[in-house]
Each structure stands twice: as structure tokens, then as C-alpha cells.
Amino acid sequence: MNPEEKIKNLRNKLHIYNNSYYNRDESLISDFEFDSLMKKLEELEKKYPQFDDKNSPTVRVGGGVTKQFQSFNHNYPMYSLANTYSKGEIKEWIKRIEKRCGHNIDDFNCELKFDGASINLCYENGKLKRALTRGDGTRGDDVTSNIKTIKNVPLILSGKHPEKFEIRGEVILTIDDFNFLNKKRKEEGIMPFRNPRNTVSGSLKLQDSREVASRKLKCFFYSVVGENSCLYHSELLEKSKQWGFFIPQNMKRVNSINEIFDFIDFWEKKKSELPYDIDGIVIKVNSMKVQNNLGFTAKAPRWAISYKYKAERQSTRLVSVAYQVGRTGAVTPVANFTPINLSGSIVKRASLHNSDQIEKLGLRTGDFVYVEKGGEIIPKIVGIDELRRGSQKNLVKFVENCPDCGSKLQKIKGEAQHYCKNENNCKTQIIGKIQHFVSRKAMNIESFGSERVAMLYNEGLITNIADIYRMEFENLASLDGMAKKSALNLLESIQQSKKQPFQKVLFSLGIRHVGETVALKLANHFRSIENLVNSTNDDLISVEEIGEKIVNSIRVYFSNSENLSIIDKLSKEGLNFKIDEDKSGSNILRDKIIVISGTFEILSRETIKQLVVENGGKLSSVVNSKTKIIIGGQSIGPSKKRKAELLSIPIISENDFLEMINAK
Ligand code: AMP
Ligand code: ZN
């Protein structure tokens, strides 16, 4: 095919898919495929501008307008959002808009991208005047009478609100309400709906508003239009809450690209626990002034971008549930199902997390379950196909005994997990603990992979983490598959690991709920294992981010004599069980609140953060009267700079900082 034909072909296809998706509520291909085709077309059109077409799907925002409802022009067009599946492109987006504005941008609002149907509401004198669907972006359908049935849409506003403005949101249906609706339909012998999103857009165009009211739709609001009394988008949303709008609480105002990535990663893991569907997140420039400066392309605002999760969902038959013991003794149920192809890989099992999830789902073997997998994420069971249930007598019941050592499982009050308490004799736990101890983020013992740990355990060379430091060359080298050189290398990296600082050693012990950050905080606060062991519960609670759950597990850990004896052995081997006060520098930053802004040349942002914490400082991302120092790099955020000047907070360079902590 020549380029012209290719372009025409893509346009044709996209027209068909688009029409089917927008006007008939039927997706012929997945969103991911659709977006990739669209991208391909965009690229080709950019490369061959001679084949330009005003009606290309790339210039259109959505589909056509349904005739039954009266249609109106939008006062402000309802644009699409630029979208991406890659973090690299988010970085590029920020660079692009910074270049366009001529200054650094470090204030963003991260929001969830709710998967429903968008709606634009006009309010005049405190009353809902008109509700328009997005339609083709320029013109939408008047569905006011239907929207009025949605219980969380205010018909009359409260508080001090503008006389006239418009607000946008997403009409959604929770997964529970969706399942309930389908159950009813099934009982009535009507075809069930495919998914919540299609159900919502179909519902908005129902002629009988009573039927709409029975569907329990909700509206989540995410932007106020035609109102410029606020400096920040987030502030405007906050204000509109007082007028009576439902603003979802899971948005986050952030100041750096790393925080944007954290938000993305957080929700990629957590999204299946939400009671409704999202298909990604939206990142918006928070300053209204900068938003206005950036404006719109023909299709989308320049000041926002959406990051979409590569999620694919399919249903498959649950064959059995197995149970796995982790290094902390937590027992995780794992579902085995008929293999399916998800996002390009064959999947046949997924974690069920804990007994609560099994109970909540009312899982039976033979059920058809929905499995979802996105990007690098492990597959998850997100629901049950109510229409294809297994037999009642095959209800899944959580095991009572450890599948490895057979001891009775226990459930700690307030925690969802079941635990095997036989920690010093349960093989899987012991191997898991050793694997954790040697891993990169822990003691970082090179050439000590998971399989090697298991082998050395099975050979009887190590039975706990202290044994690692007592292994001898002769024993190692005599093992099958262990060359002399690898034995030497292994012993060498074991010796090297003795240099790991206290916080790493503490993390390596594998105390339940004591992850990297908690270990760092505990190490900085207590300075030595002795102080930690002898601390009172009140001492522990006073440490930032340490709650009752962590206090309990620390107590349990140190009340086990075997653990104490292992620590004693490790300490005799020369591992660091206290902070090296010489190396950790002074406590010069103790309790000082420090903000990092801009880009740096000598150190990475991560290293600076670590150094701040190691020297007793506290990190924050907002500048206020509590801020003591700002470590500023190149192109430090202008709003931060202004605030610093206003509050007379010193801005120091990375060199100054290194000097300050005596690291130079
Ligand atoms: P798209 O349909 O992928 O072009 O994305 C634009 C649509 O995302 C909007 O019309 C809204 O329906 C939807 N959306 C969901 N959540 C948000 C949000 N937090 N901010 C903006 N748009 C959102
Ligand atoms: Zn066990």
C-alpha cells in the first residue's frame, strides 16, 4: 500500500470503529488498539500533509449526535484529552509545555480518569439550567431531565457561588450497582449490559427518566469552566465542593514528575480495589494562568494529558484455589484458571490477596471470573460473571492450616491476612526470609539469586540468615554446579555486604511491615538496634509514619528469642547494628523541614533526598512558613522562588548543601 492508501484505509477503519463506539455503544476493538491506530494515522498525516482531510478522525473529537434529543452548541467546546501509555511521553509533554511557556512548571493536579460518560452542566443563579452530553465536542444533546434524576447532582446550589458558570464531570455507575442491575435483568430475562461505561451512556439517552433514576448513576466532577476567580484549578474544585458538587478525594496536587509517576504507579496497583472503573489518570497543569497561556490544540487542551493503563479484562473458568506462604508467613490464596491470553501473554493464575476477597466475591470453583492485567502488573481477579456461576456446593473455603508446615493459621485482628506463626520452622518462610535478606535493596549480596538460596538451604549449608556469614569455601566449592570462582565471588560479596549501613540491615531482617522507608525512619530515630529493642510503644509511635500495626509487629519480632540470637550472631560477624555517627555526618538538619526544587548537576534528586533524611532533615514538597531551607537547582519553580523570597527562606545550591552536611 502506498502512503495515500494507507492513510485512507486507516481513516476508513477509524471512522467505522469510532461510529460504532460513540453512536452504537459497541467497541469493535480494544481502546488500546484504537489508540495505536489513531497514533499511526496522526504520524502518517504529519509526514504527508499533502493528503490532508478536514474530516479525518484525527481532527474530530467524538462521534455524531443522536437525533431524538434536542442538541445545542457548547459554550466551551468539550475537548478530548491527549493520551499516552508511556512515562517517557509525559516527561516530553512537560518539556514541551515548559518550552512553550518559557518557564518551569512544577504544580500539577493528578486525577483519576473515570470511565463513564462526560457531561457539561450549566448553572445560572444557583440553579441547574441545562445538561449537555459531550456529543461531537462542539454540540451535545440536552439530557437535563435525565441528569436531574442523578442523586448527587445538585439542582440548587449552596454557599457563595458565581452567578453563571459551567461544570464538567463524569457520569459513572459503580461496579456493585452495575452487577445488581445485571442480576435484575437476568431475572427478568433481558440481555445483560456489557460494562458500566456502556450502561451509563445508554442510560443518559433513555427516554423514560424514571428508568434512568432506577439505575443509581453518579456524577464525579472534575472541572469548572467559565469561572476565573481562582488562581489554581485544584482550588476551584475545592470551592465547588462547597456549592454542592461531588469532587472525588483521590486527586493529588504534586510538584514534580517523580510524584506524577508515583501517582501513576500507586493507582495502577490500587485501581482494581476502587468501587468503579477508571481507565487511567489525568495530569493537569494546576495554575489557571498557565492553563490559559497554553490553550488548546484543535483537539485537546495543551495543559492536560492522560496516562492510560494497558489493562485488558477477560473472563475464564476458575479451576482451583491454591495457597502460598510468603517470607513473613502471610498466606496468599492463588486462583488457578483455564489459561487465557491477556495483553499478549498467557495467564493461568492470579492472586486472590486474602480470605476477605474470596468471601466478598462468594467464590466457587467453576465460576467464570474476570481477570485483568495491565502493563507489568500481575494479573488480578476483579469480579465474577454473575451469569456463569459454579455450583453452590463448590464454595471456596480458606485453608485452616499452613500448606507448607501444617501448623494452624492465625488471623491478626484488624488485618486481612492469615499467617503461619511457625516462622522458625516453616521451610518456605525461612527460604523467603533469606532471599529477602540477600536481595538488592537489602544486604545487596551479589551472585546470590533466589535459586541459589534455595539450593544452599536444601543442601543444609544455611538454615537462617546468620549462617550466610559462616559458610566456608570448601563446603561451597564441593557443591554440584558451583565453580571455584563462583564460590569465591559469592564469599567476597558476602564480606562486602558487611558494609551496609544500619537502616539496610534493619530492613533486611524482614520484620513484618518494616519496609525500606520505615527502616530508614526507625534507624534515624533510634540510632542503634539496642535502643530500638529497648524502646517503649510510646517511643515507637512518636516516630513519623509508625502506627500500631508496625509497633505490634516490631514487638512480636523482638520478643522471639531466636530472632535476638540471630541478631547477636550477625552483630558478632560485624554487621552494622547502629548508625555510624562519624559517617552519617552531623545532625545538623535534625527536624529541619527542607524543600527540593529544580534540576541538579552533581547529585540526583534521589540522592539529595536520601542525604537530607540521613542527616535528620524532613522533606516536604510545599514551601510555607515551616520551611527552613530550599535546596534549589537549575530552573527552580518560580512560585517556590517567590514564596521563599516572601518568607525569607534561604535557597542553597547543591554545593552549599554538601558543605553544610560536611560531605565535601
Ligand atoms: P478521551 O475520551 O480519552 O479523549 O478523554 C477525555 C474524557 O475523559 C473527558 O471527556 C471525560 O469524559 C473523561 N474524564 C474522566 N475523568 C476525567 C478527569 N479527571 N479530568 C478530565 N477528563 C476526565
Ligand atoms: Zn508454615
Side-chain angles (χ1 to χ4, degrees):
M1 250 190 275
N2 64 37
E4 185 175 15
E5 279 167 2
K6 250 192 217 161
I7 290 179
K8 276 194 178 153
N9 187 294
L10 271 173
R11 280 180 185 153
N12 261 338
K13 266 193 192 161
L14 285 165
H15 270 306
I16 293 168
Y17 296 146
N18 199 63
N19 188 36
S20 159
Y21 183 84
Y22 280 104
N23 296 332
R24 288 191 276 119
D25 279 339
E26 196 180 19
S27 359
L28 298 177
I29 54 169
S30 73
D31 287 3
F32 183 59
E33 283 172 279
F34 184 92
D35 291 335
S36 328
L37 289 180
M38 191 65 115
K39 243 182 198 161
K40 210 186 272 169
L41 179 58
E42 270 176 30
E43 275 161 20
L44 284 170
E45 285 182 344
K46 215 181 270 168
K47 202 161 159 199
Y48 304 102
Q50 64 270 39
F51 307 128
D52 195 27
D53 178 355
K54 281 206 303 287
N55 290 326
S56 164
T58 53
V59 297
R60 247 178 20 173
V61 181
V65 175
T66 318
K67 282 289 179 292
Q68 302 99 299
F69 289 89
Q70 213 185 338
S71 70
F72 290 92
N73 277 339
H74 288 294
N75 290 328
Y76 307 90
M78 286 183 84
Y79 289 90
S80 189
L81 281 173
N83 70 62
T84 177
Y85 291 86
S86 108
K87 288 184 180 165
E89 286 184 14
I90 292 185
K91 238 182 209 167
E92 282 164 23
W93 168 67
I94 296 180
K95 264 195 210 144
R96 209 160 51 234
I97 55 176
E98 283 184 336
K99 192 166 166 211
R100 204 180 169 94
C101 296
H103 59 75
N104 191 304
I105 301 176
D106 66 355
D107 186 0
F108 300 94
N109 205 47
C110 295
E111 302 170 15
L112 300 186
K113 189 166 189 291
F114 309 103
D115 203 8
S118 49
I119 194 81
N120 184 80
L121 308 182
C122 297
Y123 282 83
E124 259 178 52
N125 301 317
K127 290 184 183 154
L128 172 61
K129 180 105 186 297
R130 179 178 288 155
L132 293 182
T133 62
R134 178 160 145 196
D136 66 358
T138 348
R139 213 171 156 79
D141 291 342
D142 184 339
V143 290
T144 317
S145 55
N146 282 346
I147 287 296
K148 280 187 173 171
T149 70
I150 301 180
K151 297 215 171 59
N152 76 337
V153 171
L155 304 178
I156 310 270
L157 300 183
S158 42
K160 197 168 163 279
H161 52 77
E163 218 174 274
K164 195 173 166 186
F165 69 97
E166 305 194 1
I167 187 160
R168 288 184 181 160
E170 194 82 356
V171 181
I172 65 112
L173 188 60
T174 66
I175 296 162
D176 280 351
D177 289 338
F178 168 76
N179 286 336
F180 178 77
L181 206 63
N182 265 352
K183 211 170 128 209
K184 252 190 6 196
R185 285 173 82 84
K186 195 185 148 202
E187 282 160 13
E188 290 163 10
I190 317 174
M191 263 291 278
F193 292 116
R194 275 168 58 103
N195 58 41
R197 186 194 51 219
N198 289 351
T199 315
V200 171
S201 44
S203 302
L204 290 186
K205 298 219 180 126
L206 283 173
Q207 307 227 314
D208 180 1
S209 62
R210 269 174 309 176
E211 171 67 19
V212 184
S214 76
R215 295 202 176 168
K216 298 191 180 157
L217 303 175
K218 291 193 175 65
C219 191
F220 293 176
F221 293 93
Y222 49 70
S223 90
V224 182
V225 203
E227 226 299 296
N228 39 30
S229 67
C230 288
L231 289 179
Y232 302 103
H233 161 73
S234 55
E235 201 184 321
L236 199 48
L237 288 182
E238 205 49 47
K239 239 185 180 176
S240 65
K241 245 193 250 174
Q242 288 151 25
W243 308 335
F245 295 101
F246 179 79
I247 309 294
Q249 283 311 286
N250 29 35
M251 57 178 65
K252 192 168 183 204
R253 188 174 177 177
V254 306
N255 298 102
S256 69
I257 187 146
N258 284 337
E259 286 175 287
I260 293 177
F261 291 167
D262 288 347
F263 189 85
I264 290 175
D265 294 342
F266 179 84
W267 284 107
E268 174 136 39
K269 287 198 198 102
K270 287 278 179 199
K271 78 183 168 78
S272 63
E273 291 170 27
L274 283 167
Y276 44 79
D277 286 336
I278 62 167
D279 68 335
I281 68 153
V282 186
I283 306 139
K284 298 176 182 169
V285 170
N286 203 28
S287 151
M288 296 305 275
K289 197 174 143 207
V290 181
Q291 280 196 7
N292 288 334
N293 271 345
L294 287 167
F296 299 82
T297 69
K299 290 179 294 181
R302 286 198 189 87
W303 42 264
I305 191 165
S306 80
Y307 179 93
K308 290 198 172 179
Y309 295 119
K310 263 188 248 173
E312 210 190 307
R313 185 181 294 186
Q314 265 190 52
S315 74
T316 179
R317 190 169 165 277
L318 178 71
V319 177
S320 64
V321 175
Y323 298 85
Q324 279 175 0
V325 197
R327 67 174 168 89
T328 62
V331 175
T332 314
V334 180
N336 293 308
F337 39 76
T338 314
I340 39 170
N341 190 330
L342 267 189
S343 310
S345 54
I346 304 288
V347 180
K348 53 186 178 188
R349 56 177 86 88
S351 164
L352 279 162
H353 305 289
N354 53 51
S355 61
D356 290 356
Q357 202 199 355
I358 295 181
E359 264 166 43
K360 204 172 133 209
L361 292 168
L363 209 59
R364 306 168 190 165
T365 43
D367 276 344
F368 274 78
V369 291
Y370 292 111
V371 184
E372 198 175 280
K373 182 176 183 283
E376 305 300 310
I377 299 299
I378 351 161
K380 274 185 185 153
I381 294 199
V382 292
I384 290 189
D385 184 344
E386 289 297 335
L387 305 181
R388 301 163 88 186
R389 296 298 312 265
S391 141
Q392 183 90 49
K393 66 175 196 298
N394 292 333
L395 197 70
V396 175
K397 225 176 136 267
F398 203 86
V399 279
E400 290 181 355
N401 295 84
C402 172
D404 184 13
C405 70
S407 66
K408 188 128 181 96
L409 298 183
Q410 288 181 24
K411 203 172 171 200
I412 304 172
K413 222 178 126 207
E415 288 193 31
Q417 221 74 35
H418 279 77
Y419 287 97
C420 164
K421 292 284 190 175
N422 188 14
E423 59 175 316
N424 301 108
N425 296 301
C426 185
K427 178 176 164 185
T428 328
Q429 275 189 67
I430 299 172
I431 295 183
K433 278 200 174 70
I434 303 175
Q435 286 167 338
H436 167 74
F437 184 85
V438 304
S439 65
R440 198 175 50 80
K441 287 186 171 175
M443 295 307 282
N444 191 20
I445 305 183
E446 275 166 38
S447 21
F448 212 168
S450 294
E451 277 169 29
R452 189 162 272 180
V453 171
M455 176 182 86
L456 294 181
Y457 176 86
N458 288 327
E459 292 288 340
L461 283 191
I462 42 174
T463 55
N464 61 44
I465 50 179
D467 290 344
I468 293 173
Y469 295 92
R470 299 174 161 198
M471 285 195 297
E472 281 169 12
F473 176 74
E474 288 73 34
N475 297 340
L476 273 176
S478 69
L479 291 176
D480 271 353
M482 176 82 86
K484 275 193 183 139
K485 186 145 190 292
S486 9
L488 279 176
N489 284 344
L490 181 57
L491 289 173
E492 172 57 25
S493 25
I494 290 173
Q495 286 309 313
Q496 281 295 325
S497 77
K498 291 184 177 172
K499 293 194 189 134
Q500 289 290 78
F502 177 40
Q503 71 266 22
K504 295 273 183 191
V505 177
L506 191 54
F507 169 63
S508 308
L509 294 178
I511 305 173
R512 192 180 296 161
H513 306 309
V514 178
E516 265 184 299
T517 351
V518 171
L520 182 63
K521 291 202 165 139
L522 289 172
N524 269 318
H525 186 93
F526 291 103
R527 322 298 287 176
S528 73
I529 195 97
E530 237 183 315
N531 290 343
L532 180 60
V533 174
N534 295 326
S535 65
T536 66
N537 284 5
D538 285 347
D539 293 340
L540 281 167
I541 287 277
S542 74
V543 184
E544 198 188 20
E545 264 184 52
I546 310 282
E548 215 171 298
K549 204 164 92 174
I550 301 177
V551 173
N552 284 340
S553 71
I554 292 176
R555 284 286 162 258
V556 170
Y557 184 87
F558 289 123
S559 61
N560 183 324
S561 58
E562 190 129 352
N563 289 338
L564 294 177
S565 116
I566 285 176
I567 290 175
D568 191 47
K569 283 181 194 155
L570 289 173
S571 174
K572 288 197 176 115
E573 291 295 339
L575 271 66
N576 288 314
F577 278 101
K578 58 174 194 260
I579 290 215
D580 188 339
E581 302 290 350
D582 292 343
K583 265 200 203 141
S584 85
S586 55
N587 271 331
I588 211 150
L589 303 179
R590 174 140 283 190
D591 293 335
K592 286 203 165 89
I593 296 181
I594 292 172
V595 172
I596 304 174
S597 176
T599 51
F600 300 91
E601 276 169 12
I602 314 170
L603 304 167
S604 75
R605 196 172 256 266
E606 278 316 305
T607 313
I608 300 183
K609 277 188 185 171
Q610 198 179 346
L611 287 171
V612 167
V613 177
E614 276 176 6
N615 285 280
K618 289 191 171 149
L619 291 163
S620 167
S621 50
V622 282
V623 177
N624 56 31
S625 60
K626 289 190 191 139
T627 314
K628 283 284 177 304
I629 299 166
I630 298 176
I631 306 173
Q634 277 198 348
S635 47
I636 166 174
S639 62
K640 288 203 169 106
K641 207 168 181 174
R642 227 178 306 121
K643 262 197 178 155
E645 277 160 11
L646 210 65
L647 299 166
S648 316
I649 301 165
I651 302 179
I652 63 170
S653 70
E654 49 190 325
N655 268 320
D656 297 341
F657 170 64
L658 286 172
E659 227 157 87
M660 180 180 257
I661 58 168
N662 303 320
K664 257 190 91 179

